[in-house]
Amino acid sequence: MASAHPGIEQTKRKHDAVDSFEDDAKTRLSKIRKPDLTSYPSPRPSNGDLIPEQSLPTWNDLAPIMRPDTVAATVSAEPQLMTPPPPPPLNLEAPCSSARSITVEPAPRSRGASIVKVRRTNSIPSAKRPRLWHIVQRLIWRRRLFRIIINWSQGVEDMLCESCESLELNYGSFTMGNHRRPEHVPLPSRWWLAQGRKQLGSLRRILRRSAICPLCRLIVRSLALQKDDFWVNIGSEPYLDAETKLAPIKLADLDAECEACWQVDGRIKLRDGEGDVVEVPCTRRLCIRWHQDHFPETHLVLIVPNVSFGPRKLFLGRLLTSLEDSKLKQIQNWFSLCLGSHGSSCAIDPTNEQFTWLRRESYFGVVDVKKMQLTALPAKASYAALSYTWGSDQQEVGSRFTATIQNVDALKEVNGVRNIEKELPRTIRDAIDLVRSLGIRYLWVDSLCILQGDADHWALIAGQMDTVYGNASLTICAADGGDAHCGLKALHPLDSRHDHHAKQLVEMVKPDMQLMATCPPETYISRSVWNTRAWTFQERVLSKRCLIFVEGRVYYQCRSSTMSEDIHAEEPEAGWSIESLHGPLQKFNNLDHHPVDLYKYSVHLYTSRFLTKDDDILAAFSGIGKEICSRLGGEPIFGLPNTHFDLAMIWKPDNAPSRRRKSGKLAFPSWSWCGWKDSKMSYMPTFVEGCELNLHEWLMNHTWITWYIRDGHGNLRLIWDPKLYCTNSGHLLSRWQGYCSHDVNHSHSRKQDDETAPVIDHYQRHLTPSLQKLKRDSFERTMPKYPYQVRMVEPGRRSTRPEERLEDQRFLQFWTWSAYFYLVPEDPQQPFSKRPKQAGSNLVRFGIQDGDYNLVGTITLGAEWETTSNLETKHEFIAISDAKGFTVEEMREWSFVEPSLPGQAEWYAYNVLLLTYDDEIRGVARRAGLGKIYKRAFETACSMPDRKKRKEWKELILG
């Protein structure tokens, strides 16, 4: 291989030599005494290459940073000074020759002060001169050497490197708009702000510069915000041998590129000319990104200096305190500010009928933290709730501190809880003390307020979690550690078990300018054990106010704002900021207007959580499900909203899932996400984007199945009964509404004397002439448990009285189109670029072929299908709704199965389910996967020996 051009190599060595010389100069300068430079003027030369002598430090201060083997110095003004012993030589790639000397001597000047001249002496031909003089000359031209000395004399031993200097950091960079700043502070470059981002170099170069540049050092240290052991050795020493100090990252990650960009941060609430409240940006953050997925994205925030900084400190940083009293006072300020300033969005409704009913129930109690006893909650009394994790060994822990039928009478006595206080885990003890200091008298804790070991009492409370947490004045979220014994660490900052104060990453990057590296609270919360539990998800999102303790920090989150220990945000005018990024609490503030989006968001987050007991999959989601479905005007059916049931059916796993069982049996349906585990469940844009352009129109015109479900008595009832539910919500836009209610005055069937009137089904959808000829609401197939007949529940009625009603069974019964197709796995012999794209981990994209072996659809299935599927096996697919079309990822080649050009046609495909049949119950199908097939392909599907037609309108039972 040909070598690189010598000119390029020479330039590279020159630049590396300059960087190494600067680094070595600064390092050696830190080891000698500081000269008194308080009387020196600005180091900027005012007369070309001539520098006034009085603006320079003595040569005795400069000599130690030069290489003595290449530099000889004489100072006629101070002949008595001696050059110190030579330090170790620099490790330059192209070492400079020693055949050169530099003489520094005073030069006469006609008027006044003498001038220092720098004269070089060469003892070898100029063609072979080494490059040391060019290095020194370049340093002088850029004035970097003298800026090092001036900063060093002012107490700033480090200085910004050239890359970080180009960021133009000053107070004006971090503030804007209504945040007035000191008049002498300049604004950053408009070009830099408009450009959006700047490259800071690779991690390898930043590591090398971090020995001297404080901003590079802060960037390197910020990598530990994502993972505590990201660095083995994180200290003040230079990273000269970075490869030996890296822990979990690969050496290839040293080449990861870093970039910086400005982001608009905090907003201030103001009133415009018409009296409406608007949010105006007032601060910025410097965002640090890496071109590496597993590297964290961090933000640099300006810490408010000690000097006066305008009238506001809102959304700027502050140093953490280690005083326990200060933290309690800060928490009290947050709580008081929210109660007094945030209005209805965070307020608890005292007239809530559901909570009023629950408070009067004999099984609902709380802890009185003043009398330390279990008691009923008085009328109009406020209470706090605790959300925490028990730990892995719940049975052993629970036997020591939980309320049971045997000890509940003793706990109801005054000081009954105090008598067992030492047996309570530290988290509960800290929560009791905190609630008492906040002036709240009552606390709800599951281990004390639910009788453990009593299934009936647990069932009564478990179905009311939305009411319990939704009406609490404050929810304390204990996300420290992995069990209930860790306590609330932020309340004990001086505890020797953890070092809280070291968590804040601060660097003095310029004189009087401190920056803090931080991440949004969700970065810390998301990696806690508490955040991985399924039960804690609804406990958090259903609460109006949360006080979250995590990694020794404390955050206050409510429906209006987020407040942190290290960010100034305690003002009524504080609006949105990056601190609220990805927080679920503020998302649920829009529940009235965007319930469908919040349902999809909740399913995706909830199914990623860990559940100790598979039986609890619906109980731990029931509060969220009821809250969302109440806004939609219906109720959840195995976790799916019945108002938008056709949309709710097109969920997909992100990974290959496995079936979920209840007490060893298949009690959860395959057609709902609750029937599967080991994967997140999502509503993919490729399936729902077309529907959501006008969701109501899609439900009414592009769906046709009348869904029935077996109730607890084996009878068939409508999933959506327009006589029982009403979807006409005043908050919900018409395009997001579900099926129509019965108040549209439509009849289910055409009147005998009006043959032109449209035919309406039970879901209030207009039936096409072809659908009118097909069976829809009469069924013949029976279940083994109910073998004699199929009984239908009349619309608008329930099969039994409420007190006798049983839970629905997992079986859907309906009519739709069925056809058989071939599955074609991806060919490993094809080049990777031509293979069907992998949809997720352990998922494989399959092609679907019709009876003539044309590619007519696509589906993603678990990798086991690639080995078990026979190319000659015919698989049953059913159409469940219209799909707008295929994406390029799903169908890379347009084969004109649909006779039009790509993009010209729409609604030419079906959303389909791949079916397999249940081994436990004969004739009951189960869902195996979701895909898409051309509508026309149902006419060319595989023929079956026992069927006359290729497609069939079929009665199905789906379990």
Side-chain angles (χ1 to χ4, degrees):
M1 182 180 294
S3 60
H5 191 277
I8 298 177
E9 292 295 329
Q10 182 179 4
T11 303
K12 182 179 181 298
R13 287 197 301 269
K14 179 179 178 180
H15 289 175
D16 289 343
V18 170
D19 291 340
S20 298
F21 185 87
E22 293 181 24
D23 296 350
D24 190 75
K26 299 168 188 174
T27 303
R28 297 190 184 196
L29 189 60
S30 65
K31 298 179 181 179
I32 64 175
R33 65 180 180 86
K34 298 180 181 180
D36 183 11
L37 302 182
T38 56
S39 60
Y40 294 161
S42 171
R44 187 170 306 198
S46 59
N47 187 18
D49 291 337
L50 300 179
I51 306 172
E53 184 179 14
Q54 63 269 25
S55 67
L56 288 173
T58 66
W59 179 253
N60 195 38
D61 296 321
L62 292 178
I65 69 172
M66 310 298 286
R67 294 185 57 168
D69 60 332
T70 62
V71 178
T74 59
V75 183
S76 58
E78 296 178 332
Q80 72 281 8
L81 296 178
M82 301 291 293
T83 302
L90 285 172
N91 184 20
L92 297 177
E93 293 183 8
C96 297
S97 172
S98 60
R100 170 173 296 183
S101 63
I102 297 178
T103 303
V104 182
E105 59 184 14
R109 191 175 181 183
S110 57
R111 293 184 181 179
S114 62
I115 299 296
V116 172
K117 278 188 179 180
V118 179
R119 177 171 55 86
R120 67 182 178 184
T121 303
N122 298 302
S123 58
I124 58 176
S126 59
K128 298 182 179 180
R129 292 173 186 169
R131 293 184 299 275
L132 180 61
W133 172 246
H134 298 286
I135 296 172
V136 177
Q137 192 176 40
R138 184 174 177 181
L139 285 173
I140 293 176
W141 286 344
R142 297 191 178 186
R143 304 183 302 277
R144 298 184 62 79
L145 176 60
F146 300 104
R147 291 199 344 241
I148 293 173
I149 299 170
I150 295 301
N151 283 350
W152 173 57
S153 68
Q154 295 178 356
V156 182
E157 298 188 1
D158 300 328
M159 67 171 294
L160 298 179
C161 64
E162 187 173 356
S163 297
C164 295
E165 187 71 35
S166 67
L167 297 177
E168 304 178 35
L169 297 179
N170 54 45
Y171 295 140
S173 307
F174 293 91
T175 59
M176 59 181 177
N178 205 49
H179 251 41
R180 295 203 305 270
R181 55 184 171 272
E183 296 181 358
H184 66 276
V185 175
L187 284 170
S189 168
R190 293 177 60 186
W191 177 85
W192 158 215
L193 292 176
Q195 184 189 29
R197 65 184 64 183
K198 279 192 176 182
Q199 301 298 324
L200 299 180
S202 66
L203 176 58
R204 190 186 306 272
R205 293 185 63 85
I206 294 176
L207 277 169
R208 190 177 68 179
R209 300 196 303 257
S210 65
I212 297 160
C213 175
L215 187 56
C216 287
R217 182 160 55 251
L218 185 59
I219 292 173
V220 169
R221 295 177 66 200
S222 69
L223 291 173
L225 290 175
Q226 183 73 10
K227 190 175 182 180
D228 290 338
D229 60 349
F230 199 95
W231 299 109
V232 171
N233 188 350
I234 193 72
S236 59
E237 64 182 30
Y239 291 93
L240 300 179
D241 188 13
E243 287 80 1
T244 64
K245 299 179 187 298
L246 297 178
I249 70 172
K250 301 177 181 178
L251 294 181
D253 291 336
L254 289 173
D255 297 324
E257 293 292 325
C258 179
E259 66 181 20
C261 65
W262 288 107
Q263 291 182 344
V264 177
D265 182 20
R267 274 78 166 169
I268 293 181
K269 295 179 181 179
L270 301 173
R271 291 194 179 275
D272 59 12
E274 299 179 357
D276 297 328
V277 177
V278 295
E279 293 192 353
V280 179
C282 61
T283 59
R284 297 186 188 91
R285 290 186 180 190
L286 188 62
C287 178
I288 305 298
R289 293 197 184 110
W290 297 88
H291 297 175
Q292 197 68 271
D293 292 339
H294 59 276
F295 278 26
E297 178 180 296
T298 56
H299 297 93
L300 303 185
V301 180
L302 174 67
I303 292 182
V304 176
N306 295 329
V307 298
S308 176
F309 187 76
R312 291 185 182 274
K313 300 179 180 179
L314 203 56
F315 302 117
L316 298 178
R318 63 185 167 199
L319 296 176
L320 295 178
T321 177
S322 60
L323 300 178
E324 184 173 336
D325 293 341
S326 299
K327 290 183 179 295
L328 286 174
K329 184 177 181 181
Q330 194 171 61
I331 293 173
Q332 292 170 350
N333 290 339
W334 292 342
F335 187 53
S336 300
L337 175 67
C338 184
L339 288 175
S341 304
H342 288 174
S344 60
S345 59
C346 300
I348 306 299
D349 184 8
T351 63
N352 184 285
E353 295 182 2
Q354 186 69 19
F355 177 69
T356 302
W357 170 82
L358 176 64
R359 184 184 58 78
R360 294 173 178 173
E361 290 295 318
S362 58
Y363 57 80
F364 180 73
V366 291
V367 179
D368 186 335
V369 299
K370 184 177 181 180
K371 295 183 178 181
M372 293 297 286
Q373 65 177 145
L374 294 182
T375 182
L377 182 67
K380 299 182 180 181
S382 61
Y383 67 98
L386 177 63
S387 173
Y388 67 108
T389 58
W390 285 35
S392 57
D393 195 357
Q394 294 186 13
Q395 293 182 353
E396 180 182 352
V397 174
S399 64
R400 295 198 305 267
F401 64 84
T402 59
T404 62
I405 294 178
Q406 291 74 23
N407 62 22
V408 65
D409 289 335
L411 296 176
K412 288 166 54 182
E413 300 293 333
V414 176
N415 290 325
V417 175
R418 191 181 303 279
N419 295 334
I420 61 158
E421 189 172 10
K422 293 183 179 179
E423 300 180 36
L424 296 176
R426 184 171 184 175
T427 297
I428 296 179
R429 298 200 307 269
D430 286 351
I432 291 175
D433 294 338
L434 176 60
V435 167
R436 189 184 296 119
S437 65
L438 292 176
I440 303 175
R441 182 165 178 174
Y442 302 99
L443 174 67
W444 190 90
V445 186
D446 60 353
S447 61
L448 295 177
C449 300
I450 300 178
L451 299 181
Q452 305 300 315
D454 189 287
D456 294 334
H457 193 264
W458 180 89
L460 290 171
I461 297 292
Q464 303 294 330
M465 287 296 110
D466 56 327
T467 306
V468 172
Y469 284 93
N471 289 275
S473 296
L474 179 68
T475 297
I476 301 170
C477 303
D480 283 313
D483 55 42
H485 295 282
C486 292
L488 307 178
K489 292 184 179 180
L491 298 181
H492 310 284
L494 300 180
D495 195 320
S496 60
R497 297 185 305 169
H498 61 277
D499 184 6
H500 168 55
H501 202 65
K503 296 287 186 179
Q504 192 174 31
L505 303 181
V506 177
E507 287 285 349
M508 180 74 74
V509 298
K510 286 185 176 182
D512 296 328
M513 175 177 279
Q514 274 186 305
L515 294 185
M516 171 184 66
T518 185
C519 293
E522 290 305 313
T523 302
Y524 308 102
I525 297 171
S526 62
R527 64 193 187 196
S528 65
V529 175
W530 173 85
N531 198 65
T532 64
R533 298 298 190 257
W535 279 101
T536 61
F537 176 69
Q538 72 171 359
E539 292 170 3
R540 180 185 181 188
V541 300
L542 293 175
S543 302
K544 294 295 183 70
R545 308 180 186 95
C546 287
L547 192 63
I548 304 175
F549 293 83
V550 59
E551 295 189 12
R553 294 171 176 265
V554 58
Y555 299 97
Y556 185 92
Q557 292 186 345
C558 61
R559 299 293 174 93
S560 299
S561 67
T562 297
M563 288 175 273
S564 309
E565 290 180 90
D566 51 4
I567 300 292
H568 290 278
E570 299 83 8
E571 292 191 27
E573 298 85 1
W576 186 91
S577 73
I578 293 179
E579 291 291 287
S580 302
L581 200 62
H582 305 304
L585 220 58
Q586 291 194 29
K587 286 181 179 291
F588 272 76
N589 205 29
N590 297 321
L591 182 58
D592 289 337
H593 303 284
H594 302 286
V596 176
D597 287 339
L598 287 173
Y599 172 77
K600 296 185 298 180
Y601 169 81
S602 298
V603 169
H604 183 71
L605 289 185
Y606 176 71
T607 51
S608 66
R609 302 294 186 101
F610 172 76
L611 198 61
T612 304
K613 298 179 180 179
D614 283 345
D615 298 13
D616 294 343
I617 182 64
L618 290 176
F621 190 77
S622 62
I624 299 175
K626 289 194 300 183
E627 194 75 10
I628 293 175
C629 289
S630 66
R631 303 305 199 278
L632 294 172
E635 65 178 0
I637 307 293
F638 283 98
L640 309 185
N642 65 340
T643 57
H644 299 70
F645 196 76
D646 284 281
L647 176 73
M649 285 285 289
I650 55 177
W651 55 268
K652 288 192 66 176
D654 293 356
N655 205 332
S658 57
R659 287 301 305 274
R660 187 186 303 275
R661 296 176 178 269
K662 182 177 182 179
S663 301
K665 298 181 180 180
L666 290 174
F668 299 106
S670 65
W671 44 266
S672 172
W673 50 261
C674 72
W676 301 84
K677 61 181 180 178
D678 301 328
S679 174
K680 292 182 182 180
M681 305 299 173
S682 303
Y683 287 88
M684 302 288 188
T686 55
F687 283 86
V688 302
E689 274 184 348
C691 314
E692 292 181 341
L693 294 175
N694 191 325
L695 183 54
H696 177 71
E697 189 271 338
W698 178 80
L699 288 171
M700 302 306 293
N701 298 322
H702 295 283
T703 65
W704 59 87
I705 298 177
T706 303
W707 302 97
Y708 286 84
I709 190 170
R710 294 266 177 175
D711 65 13
H713 296 271
N715 302 320
L716 288 181
R717 70 172 184 88
L718 289 166
I719 289 284
W720 170 252
D721 191 337
K723 294 184 178 181
L724 293 178
Y725 307 105
C726 178
T727 60
N728 295 332
S729 172
H731 301 285
L732 200 60
L733 295 176
S734 59
R735 74 183 185 94
W736 291 105
Q737 292 183 0
Y739 308 112
C740 287
S741 303
H742 193 66
D743 55 10
V744 296
N745 296 324
H746 284 143
S747 175
H748 169 58
S749 59
R750 181 190 297 132
K751 295 181 180 180
Q752 295 182 355
D753 57 349
D754 188 1
E755 297 183 356
T756 61
V759 176
I760 308 298
D761 71 354
H762 284 300
Y763 284 28
Q764 306 298 301
R765 295 172 296 200
H766 292 246
L767 297 180
T768 62
S770 59
L771 286 175
Q772 295 175 23
K773 302 175 183 178
L774 302 173
K775 284 186 178 181
R776 297 175 55 81
D777 301 305
S778 61
F779 300 95
E780 299 175 356
R781 298 188 58 182
T782 60
M783 297 282 295
K785 280 188 176 182
Y786 315 100
Y788 303 111
Q789 62 177 328
V790 179
R791 182 170 180 264
M792 311 281 291
V793 179
E794 184 180 348
R797 297 179 180 269
R798 296 286 190 178
S799 60
T800 58
R801 294 188 298 272
E803 61 272 13
E804 299 176 354
R805 195 174 303 147
L806 301 177
E807 292 183 357
D808 291 329
Q809 300 183 51
R810 60 185 174 96
F811 305 106
L812 295 177
Q813 199 154 343
F814 56 94
W815 291 84
T816 191
W817 292 110
S818 168
Y820 284 78
F821 297 90
Y822 297 113
L823 283 178
V824 184
E826 64 179 5
D827 186 2
Q829 301 300 323
Q830 288 183 344
F832 181 80
S833 60
K834 294 185 178 180
R835 293 185 196 175
K837 188 176 180 181
Q838 294 265 341
S841 177
N842 297 326
L843 289 179
V844 178
R845 188 174 299 284
F846 284 77
I848 301 174
Q849 288 182 331
D850 63 6
D852 299 322
Y853 303 106
N854 296 314
L855 185 64
V856 295
T858 179
I859 190 172
T860 54
L861 299 168
E864 69 275 4
W865 281 78
E866 195 169 22
T867 57
T868 60
S869 178
N870 191 328
L871 292 178
E872 299 302 322
T873 303
K874 299 172 183 178
H875 301 273
E876 184 176 6
F877 289 82
I878 61 171
I880 59 172
S881 57
D882 286 348
K884 192 168 185 178
F886 293 95
T887 64
V888 176
E889 177 186 337
E890 294 169 327
M891 191 71 68
R892 297 196 173 190
E893 297 294 335
W894 185 262
S895 57
F896 290 97
V897 175
E898 175 67 26
S900 62
L901 291 173
Q904 291 184 350
E906 58 182 21
W907 306 115
Y908 56 82
Y910 286 134
N911 293 317
V912 297
L913 295 182
L914 170 62
L915 299 184
T916 58
Y917 280 84
D918 201 325
D919 296 333
E920 296 184 2
I921 306 177
R922 179 178 51 84
V924 175
R926 70 176 181 88
R927 166 187 164 143
L930 174 71
K932 293 180 184 178
I933 296 179
Y934 287 104
K935 288 182 178 180
R936 294 178 183 271
F938 270 66
E939 305 294 338
T940 60
C942 303
S943 60
M944 299 297 292
D946 57 340
R947 293 169 56 174
K948 297 180 180 179
K949 298 180 180 179
R950 297 198 174 205
K951 71 173 184 177
E952 178 185 9
W953 183 256
K954 185 177 180 180
E955 179 186 356
L956 291 155
I957 299 178
L958 188 62

